[in-house]
Every structure is written in C-alpha cells, then in structure tokens.
Amino acid sequence: MSDGTNDRPLGIALIGAGAVSEYHHVPAIRLDSRTRLVAACDTSQALLEKRRDEWNLDLISTDYQAICDSPDVDAVVIATPNDTHRPLALAAAAAGKHIMCEKPLGLDADEVRQMYEACRDAQVVHMTAFTYRFPPAMRYLRSLVSSGALGTPRHFRSQRFLDLPETSWGWRQYKSKAGAGDLFDMTIHRIDFAIDLMGPIKSVCGAVAQFAPRDLTADGKPCPPSEVDDWSSLIGEFESGAVGVWEGTTLAKGYGMNGFGHEWAEVNGSEGSAVYRMHDPNNILIGKTGQDLASQPAPEEFLKPTNSPRDPSQGEPATVFRYDLMWEFVSAIVEKRQAIPSFYDGWRAQIVADSVLSSYNERRWIDIPAAPL
Ligand SMILES: NC(=O)c1ccc[n+]([C@@H]2O[C@H](COP(=O)([O-])OP(=O)(O)OC[C@H]3O[C@@H](n4cnc5c(N)ncnc54)[C@H](O)[C@@H]3O)[C@@H](O)[C@H]2O)c1
C-alpha cells in the first residue's frame, strides 16, 4: 500500500459518486499531488459511467467489496446515504483502507461506536467530514478561545438558517436512511465544532419539529411524506460551566444568501466576543466591552492548512475551504498520525445529537456520559 511518500501517489476511491463527492471531494483530490482519484463505487451504474469520463477513473464498480479488494486503493471516502456508512466503513476497515466518512457517521451512536472501534483496531486513519471545522474564521476563532484572548468562555451560540424548497429531500427525509433531518444533517456539525471550541458537553435539553410535509418531488410527482425534522434546537451545559444554544432550520424564508444561507457561531467570553459566519469565512467579527462587533480579516496563517498548495485568493471563499478536509485526511495518512476530526469526534457528536432526540421525546434534560475511551 502507498502512503503517498513512496512509489506512487496515494490511491483514493469515492464510495458514493453524488453531490458532495462532486462538490467537495473531487476538486480537493485534484489539488493534492500526493494523491490520485483511482476508483468510484455507486449503486447507479449510469452515474458511474458518467463519472468514469468526467473524473478519469481507472476502476468503477457497483460492488463496494471490489473497491475494498483493489490493491490500487489505499483510502476511501464514504459519501453515501447515512444508513450505508456503517457497513461500508466496516468493510473498508477490514480491508485495511484509510477512511474519511461523511457525517453523520451513522444512524445512532451505537453504529458509530462500532465504526470507531473497527478503525481503531485495524489501525487505519479515520476522519469524520465535519466540514465547518475548516473555514479560516472558525480556525481563528478556535485559536482566540484556546489562547484566552476572549477571556473565560461563557456562552456559545449557533444559528444555521437555510431557505430550502419545501419539496422532497429524497433519501434525506426518511428515518431508515437518514436517522433524523436538520438535526443530523446540519446541527450535528455545530455540535461538533462547539465541543471543539468549548470542550465536552455535560447536559442537553433539545427539541425538533417538522413543518413541511415534502410529499411532492421538485417536478411535482407525489412521494411518501417526510418523517424527519426540519427545525432542530438544543440548549446545553459544557463541563467547563459555559452554556450553549443552537438553532437550525431549513425553512427560514428570506435567508437564501446566494445559496449559502445564514450561519452565525459565536463565543462570548469574559473579555470579548467573536463570531464566525460561513458566508464570509475569511473574516471574523470581534468585539470587547464598550465596542461594537467589527469585522477583521483572519490572519494569513489561518487561511489554509500549512503547506497546502491551495491559493486562498482563488475561488468562492464559502466553497474552497471545503477542500481543506482532504488535505487533512491525506496529511494524516502521509504523516502516520490520526486525522482531526476523527471517528471519535463523530461518535461524541452523535451521542449529543441522539440525546437531543431522547430529551425531546422524554421531555427532560439528558446528561451526556463522560468521554468514553
Ligand atoms: N460534510 C458536508 O458538508 C456534507 C455536505 C453534503 C452531504 N454530506 C453527507 O454526504 C453524504 C452523501 O450526501 P450527498 O448529498 O452526496 O447525497 P447524494 O444523494 O447526492 O449522493 C449519494 C450517492 O450515493 C449513492 N449510493 C446510495 N447507496 C449506495 C451504496 N450502498 N453504495 C454506493 N453508493 C451508494 C447514490 O446512488 C448517490 O449517487 C450524506 O451522508 C450527507 O449527509 C455532507
């Protein structure tokens, strides 16, 4: 197997050749000379044939085991509906392949625990595709919090408001395929970066709601109605004593913002406040007592990962930071270290997301177990 430092570039296979593979992962692989896209797997043969030409693939297959068995594949990216992540990850780990898997890693925390343990035991690199750890302003916010520049962190606040059509979400609106709606699709990212910024979450009280029936496809054909939430929220207490509040919705009329929607993630500390906004990811809002929040550019060293060939002045800023996930995954393989965020982080976030649903169903606060090993 290549580790990207010897005879040939690291061979990557995409399992799932749909939207996120095309938008995030393929451009990212193309930027990185340490790696090469060699194969793709999808259940749609027609899509695979189209991708073979578009992506210049050596191997396409509808059989994931054929991808896992290929000696040309060193690592896989799992970018399929959520219910397939666990079996695909277990097969790839058993074959000794490094794995980046899309979020949510599974349908519940028990599935995710199995995935984490399989990768840990197989000693492969495992990474959760928590994209919003990577915007420059988020990376800078993390350094402001950890250096103490904002003082003692007191409040965390996350808003993610999208104005999506009220037609079918496809597989995303069925519990057996997706697990949950906005909570597992959008809010789970914000649970992850809250833990990264503020430390472990001790306790949560959550609620979800569904407003849109989504019983028509975009072209007006009837389909089984949505079974999942399109609004999700939680309040939480961190082990540090800080508190947090999160709200996400796909039904915020007027929040299109060129397709990127509204995102606001804020830390209020004893000395100052700072805010990351996804539509303006190279700038951060900062304020201290007596001032109003004001925009500042994220310093140069936060604009891209160290040594990455990506030119931060090129492309749409709210798109191009997504390529930095692949840089981290490949760097972890080449440097023989664990990736950040790992499946362990995916598991911690899943435990909290599951607890939001339990809290709502049982109408009570839920304590989050201390970090398992
Ligand atoms: N990190 C992010 O910011 C981000 C953004 C979008 C999507 N996602 C995640 O990525 C995953 C895929 O989302 P998407 O928007 O690309 O979906 P999609 O529906 O566009 O693509 C999924 C593809 O997987 C294929 N597929 C289904 N079952 C399969 C199987 N068993 N084996 C192989 N291929 C299979 C489908 O044919 C389809 O082409 C989801 O888990 C989603 O939550 C993450």
Side-chain angles (χ1 to χ4, degrees):
M1 190 186 296
S2 170
D3 64 2
T5 56
N6 48 24
D7 50 336
R8 62 170 174 78
L10 191 87
I12 296 202
L14 295 172
I15 305 184
V20 77
S21 285
E22 173 158 56
Y23 183 43
H24 296 189
H25 303 310
V26 172
I29 294 169
R30 289 200 171 130
L31 263 176
D32 190 341
S33 62
R34 302 169 301 175
T35 189
R36 192 167 86 83
L37 178 59
V38 293
C41 171
D42 200 283
T43 43
S44 163
Q45 180 68 29
L47 178 61
L48 277 180
E49 281 166 22
K50 181 166 161 289
R51 296 305 197 202
R52 176 170 48 200
D53 299 337
E54 287 170 354
W55 294 349
N56 192 25
L57 300 167
D58 299 344
L59 170 66
I60 55 170
S61 180
T62 54
D63 174 11
Y64 65 83
Q65 199 56 52
I67 300 288
C68 292
D69 291 342
S70 168
D72 297 329
V73 172
D74 304 302
V76 300
V77 176
I78 298 174
T80 50
N82 307 342
D83 63 314
T84 65
H85 293 174
R86 187 188 70 97
L88 293 169
L90 296 186
K97 309 298 181 189
H98 305 295
I99 307 170
M100 171 154 57
C101 183
E102 277 298 347
K103 46 43 67 178
L105 287 186
L107 297 180
D108 59 39
D110 190 55
E111 286 199 357
V112 178
R113 178 188 54 75
Q114 294 170 44
M115 295 163 70
Y116 163 66
E117 289 176 355
C119 290
R120 181 197 60 194
D121 296 348
Q123 298 190 319
V124 295
V125 170
H126 46 89
M127 177 164 173
T128 307
F130 279 135
T131 310
Y132 304 101
R133 289 249 195 146
F134 292 85
M138 175 55 74
R139 299 172 69 226
Y140 184 40
L141 175 58
R142 185 177 195 280
S143 96
L144 290 173
V145 172
S146 61
S147 70
L150 302 178
T152 305
R154 290 172 170 165
H155 315 151
F156 167 85
R157 184 170 304 107
S158 165
Q159 297 175 335
R160 181 68 175 131
F161 300 163
L162 297 169
D163 182 357
L164 296 186
E166 297 197 13
T167 47
S168 168
W169 270 348
W171 62 263
R172 279 183 166 77
Q173 66 180 18
Y174 303 113
K175 278 190 180 160
S176 63
K177 298 245 150 228
D182 183 72
L183 176 65
F184 283 13
D185 202 39
M186 297 290 161
T187 299
I188 199 162
H189 284 287
R190 282 87 207 165
I191 292 170
D192 169 68
F193 66 55
I195 296 172
D196 187 47
L197 290 168
M198 309 286 288
I201 294 174
K202 191 176 76 174
S203 196
V204 293
C205 180
V208 291
Q210 188 205 337
F211 293 89
R214 300 184 190 278
D215 52 4
L216 291 176
T217 62
D219 52 5
K221 298 201 179 75
C223 65
S226 170
E227 302 163 350
V228 300
D229 55 287
D230 42 36
W231 175 86
S232 60
S233 73
L234 60 149
I235 55 176
E237 296 170 339
F238 295 90
E239 283 179 8
S240 66
V243 293
V245 55
W246 293 248
E247 184 185 12
T249 173
T250 62
L251 297 175
K253 308 302 179 195
Y255 280 90
M257 300 181 74
N258 290 324
F260 293 111
H262 163 81
E263 167 137 51
W264 181 280
E266 172 169 11
V267 177
N268 304 131
S270 56
E271 304 297 326
S273 298
V275 184
Y276 142 77
R277 295 165 305 154
M278 199 258 273
H279 73 275
D280 188 16
N282 294 349
N283 297 298
I284 193 165
L285 300 179
I286 299 188
K288 301 221 164 186
T289 299
Q291 305 171 342
D292 289 333
L293 291 171
S295 180
Q296 291 180 18
E300 183 87 27
E301 69 263 34
F302 295 97
L303 293 183
K304 68 178 180 81
T306 312
N307 299 326
S308 157
R310 185 168 74 73
D311 177 351
S313 69
Q314 294 297 306
E316 163 58 55
T319 295
V320 293
F321 70 77
R322 296 158 203 271
Y323 308 158
D324 296 344
L325 277 96
M326 188 62 67
W327 182 263
E328 165 60 15
F329 181 50
V330 174
S331 298
I333 297 169
V334 169
E335 294 163 14
K336 301 190 189 332
R337 61 170 173 81
Q338 217 17 279
I340 302 171
S342 69
F343 277 16
Y344 188 80
D345 298 295
W347 184 21
R348 295 301 298 159
Q350 191 71 51
I351 290 170
V352 176
D354 288 1
S355 300
V356 169
L357 295 175
S358 308
S359 163
Y360 182 58
N361 292 336
E362 297 166 25
R363 294 291 202 265
R364 66 181 182 93
W365 281 79
I366 302 271
D367 289 338
I368 308 298
L373 293 174

